[in-house]
Each structure stands twice: as structure tokens, then as C-alpha cells.
Amino acid sequence: MTQPAQVTKPLPEADDASKPFWDGAMEGRLVILRCADCKAWRMPWRHHCDQCLSDRSTWEQASGRGVVRTFGIMHQKYHPAFEVPYNVTIVELAEGPRITTNLVGVSNADIRVGMPVVVDWERHSDITLPKFRPA
Amino acid sequence: MAHALRNAGAISGLGITPMGRIYGKSATEFAADAVRAAIADSGLKHDDIDGLLINAGITGNIGGGITLGLQNYLGLKNLRLLNHMNAAGSTAAQMVQYATMAIANGMARHVVCVFSDAPLTEGSKTGAAYGGAGRIAPRPRGMAGLYAAAGYFGANTGYALAAQRHMAMYGTTQDHFGIIAVGQRQWATMNPMAQMREPITMEDYHASRWVIEPLHLLDCCLVSNGAVAVIVSSADEAKSMAQPPVYIRGMGQGHPGDTGRAGNDAETETGAKIAARTAFGMAGVGPEDVTQCQLYDCYTYTVLVTLEDYGFCKKGEGGPFVEDGKLGPGGSLPTNTGGGELSAYYMWGMTPLSEAVIQGRGQGGDRQAKNDVILCTGNGGTLAYHGALILSPHAN
């Protein structure tokens, strides 16, 4: 068996459509889409509002606060760059949309559904990722 | 007045290939084996088939899946109904539904519905086909990349998160999941087709490795190479065919939708709730009339939440409902009597459907359960798509 080459975690790359989200992240601001007509917030990026099907939207700064909707502790090594175990967590933002993320600053054993959390930024060279920590 | 589709159709043929780590055949070849077996089983001739509905399985996504080219591989000419369908694990039930509607309206006479899959290659890991990590770009583009960046991989993750939510909301425990796994393995010991026939205990369940908490390995379905085909005919024709007819008494679907925001409970309230109203209504029965269940069981949790949504117990009470072992052999609600996807074979919605046909015919041998009213379900996505059939050996 040869050693596999060093593999890094899949880091997202901004595309034109989602650039305001990633630019906001670089500045430490959680910026998400909001329907210009019915005012519903939405995640992730999509052209149409799923509530009213409007194609008019704006990027607005969200509070960065939310609660743990649910989570799991991954033990299966699906991807060589992920050290197991690690948590996979869905945070429900105060504005309503849910985001798939990881909790930081808390041991996996202490994570609870309903726990209040706040965004925390994981910085990489050309991209910053929204993670969450207990509020 | 009874619904026009109640007992309009029947399952008249069944073909099941050997299942599991069987190599050397393509999905198309497995499909042909299953279709040949189903036609022989029904007593029909090759030329009698005038409809073909296909469902490709995971190889439809990752490559090598069956296509509409299957028609020509099978030499089926002058079909009056043909489609390639995919609503994930709910497809098998849906194929039977569309076939029944077509037959009841004169658009076809004998429709073959086939699922085939061959994701396992020699030496491959069982979970690899469904994990998806190998197909993730080093730099996934846009916000969709947040999933991969968080290490959200495959079907296991979605169901683990759903199960966790149920546990937090309702106090469901690992023991509740475990009793389902143990009961189904007991059933599998009586099914010569099953891939896993060694009995397991609750201790074995708790000792099995974590895949993603709260799911142990024994909470998760198998992955199989193989194919299953069923033939749908009119109830009238099925009466004079080779096998005892299994009548399609009721049918329904439910797809609740998940907009990924507050107010949506997609983890714990499934499409089964919607499908139940349609299917039970058409069949003129309720959960109290069901004598056995063949429930889609990609995970133990899927069985538990499906029972709730069909009204066998109240929402949140699935755990206490199953904990006396009533789903296992000798229990009051025999469920997944072939071992299901957890212990027998994973042919998406064809796993519960194939066992429902065997049971409906009274051909279950040692594992035959009371078959007057069989609830057979399919579930796909992360509890996103749901198909239901109410089956019975009686046309009344």
C-alpha cells in the first residue's frame, strides 16, 4: 500500500451567485439572501424564493445567532481529510433558515438539540467558513 | 361507494435474483434475470408484456444503471407503456401505482416493474456507493459546498440527524432502534434469500460500531447487487393466472417538502402521513385492520417514524410502541418478515414489495404471517418521498 497523497478538506469556492455570502464571511458577517417581495430569508443560494417564487432578492446581514436543530457524531471515515469523530450540525438561524455546519468550542458529548449558538469564523487562505459555538 | 381503483389491479408475477456481493453481472443483466423469472412465475408469455417501468437504483446516479435501453435488451416489442422512474425509495410502490392506473384505464394489460442495481464491485466498501465522498470536488463551488465542508456525507448523515431530532423531541432511545434491528434479524433467519441470517442480540446491537451517532452499523441497511421485478395485471385477469393474485386494495403517496427553515419538521413528520390518508381511504381500512407491515427500512428509525405516521401509535410514541418486540416473530404486528433492508437485501422499495408479494400469496413458509391486510411502503430521500400500497389476498 502506498501512502495516499496529502488530502485537504473540500473547501468551497465562491461562484458569482454566492459571492456576497463569501465576501461577508471574510469580513465576519453572516450575509444571506432575503426575498425582496415576501421578505422570507433563505439558505443556501437560489434564484427563486421558495415561499412566493419571486426572483427578486437582496443580500442582508443575519444576526449570526441560532439554535442547534439537530446533529450527529460522525465516526465513519468517508473522506481522508476529516479526523473522526466530528460533529455534523444543523443550526436553525434566528431568521429561520437552517445551515449545515460544525460546532466548535464544545465537546461532542456536550452538544444538545436546542442549544443556543452563535456564528464563529474558520479562516482559510481564500475562503472563510461559518462554524458555530455555544452562545 | 368503493373507490374505482380499489382492487382494480393485482400483482401477478414476481422475480428475485440472488442478492448481495454477486459480481460479474451488470445491472442490465440482473434486471433481465429478474424479468425472466417474473414472466415465468406469472405464466405469461414474453409477448404478453405491454408495459415496462424501470428504476435504476444508485447506479442510476453513479454510473452503470439500467436505462430505457432495457426494453431492447429484453426484446420487448410494441409496448404501450414505458418509463424510467425515480422518486428514490418510493419508486417501487409508485411504479405499481402508475401501472395499476394505466391498466384500469385501458392503456396497458401486463406491466413489468423492475428495479436493478449493481453498485458493489469486488473489494469495494459497502457504504462507498452511498457515501458520495469520493465524488466531491476538492473545491466544490458555491454555497452547496457548505455540506462537504462540514463533512456531511451520504444518506447515513441525513438519517442520523433525523433520528437524533426524534430522540431529543420524544425521548426515543437506542434500545428502541435496537429492538427493531434484532426483530428483523430474527425474521431473516427464516428467509433463505436473506444476506444476513445469523441471529443478533441487543448486546450485539449496542456493540456494533458507530457509523454516525446515533446510528450503529446495525441501524443501517445493507447494500446489494441484484434485481427484483413484479408484474401488475388487472385483478380480473390475475384471478386466472399461475400464481395467487395479490390484490392492490389501496395506494397513496406523500411528499411533504422541506424548505430548510423554521416551522418544518421533515425529520420527524414524513410523507407517510399524507400517503396514509389516501391509501387507507381507498382501501377502506385503517391501521387497526393491518395484519402485517412491510415497511421501508433504510434505517431502524425509518420503521419507527413510519409506524407513527400511519397512526399505529401517536406521534413520538414509536419507541414505546415497538419496545415489547411486537414487530418480530410471534409479535402482534409482524413487520419486515423477510428481514427487510436491514438484514435481507437492499433493493430500495422492491425489498418491502417483494416480501409483501410472497406473504400475500401465502408463500412465506416458516415466516408466513397473517396476510389479510398488508401495508407495504416505500420511502426515499431523507424521509422526503413516500409511496404506499395496501395489499391483500382477498378481493373484497
Side-chain angles (χ1 to χ4, degrees), chain B residues 157-220:
Chain B
T157 307
Y159 279 89
L161 269 53
Q164 183 87 265
R165 177 80 191 167
H166 198 279
M167 294 169 87
M169 294 286 291
Y170 303 115
T172 307
T173 68
Q174 220 75 57
D175 281 341
H176 296 143
F177 299 147
I179 192 78
I180 294 171
V182 170
Q184 290 195 200
R185 184 60 65 84
Q186 281 180 275
W187 284 118
T189 64
M190 295 179 268
N191 181 3
M193 298 287 300
Q195 286 175 227
M196 309 296 273
R197 294 198 293 267
E198 284 292 309
I200 55 171
T201 63
M202 285 297 282
E203 290 69 35
D204 295 329
Y205 167 79
H206 286 293
S208 76
R209 69 176 171 88
W210 290 118
V211 175
I212 169 170
E213 291 178 58
L215 300 181
H216 287 282
L217 183 65
L218 289 175
D219 286 303
C220 305

Side-chain angles (χ1 to χ4, degrees), chain A residues 9-16 18 21-22 32 40-46 50-51 59 68-79 82 86-90 92 96-102 113 126-127 129-131, chain B residues 125 127-128 130-134 136-154 156-157 160-165 168-169 209-214 258-268:
Chain A
K9 287 185 184 181
L11 285 178
E13 187 172 42
D15 55 12
D16 288 346
S18 64
F21 174 82
W22 302 109
I32 63 176
W41 300 80
R42 66 182 189 261
M43 284 267 319
W45 183 88
R46 55 184 169 243
D50 60 276
Q51 302 291 287
W59 290 94
V68 172
R69 170 72 186 178
T70 187
F71 68 99
I73 308 300
M74 181 67 83
H75 291 256
Q76 175 93 30
K77 201 149 175 87
Y78 281 109
H79 190 291
F82 283 85
Y86 63 91
N87 72 79
V88 182
T89 302
I90 308 290
E92 183 172 292
R98 295 173 186 159
I99 181 170
T100 299
T101 185
N102 311 106
V113 168
D126 64 347
I127 201 98
L129 296 175
K131 307 293 176 180
Chain B
K125 286 197 170 178
Y130 286 84
I136 288 169
R139 299 297 304 263
R141 293 194 41 91
M143 289 168 79
L146 288 171
Y147 287 89
Y152 185 117
F153 297 122
N156 293 336
T157 307
L161 269 53
Q164 183 87 265
R165 177 80 191 167
M169 294 286 291
R209 69 176 171 88
W210 290 118
V211 175
I212 169 170
E213 291 178 58
D258 179 5
T259 57
R261 65 159 60 77
N264 188 296
D265 293 312
E267 306 98 331
T268 54

Side-chain angles (χ1 to χ4, degrees), chain A residues 110-130:
Chain A
D110 291 333
I111 300 173
R112 296 287 180 271
V113 168
M115 175 184 275
V117 292
V118 61
V119 71
D120 195 60
W121 301 100
E122 182 183 291
R123 295 177 190 285
H124 299 268
S125 60
D126 64 347
I127 201 98
T128 297
L129 296 175

Side-chain angles (χ1 to χ4, degrees), chain B residues 24-40:
Chain B
K25 280 192 180 179
S26 67
T28 298
E29 291 160 349
F30 278 119
D33 286 344
V35 171
R36 181 185 59 213
I39 293 173

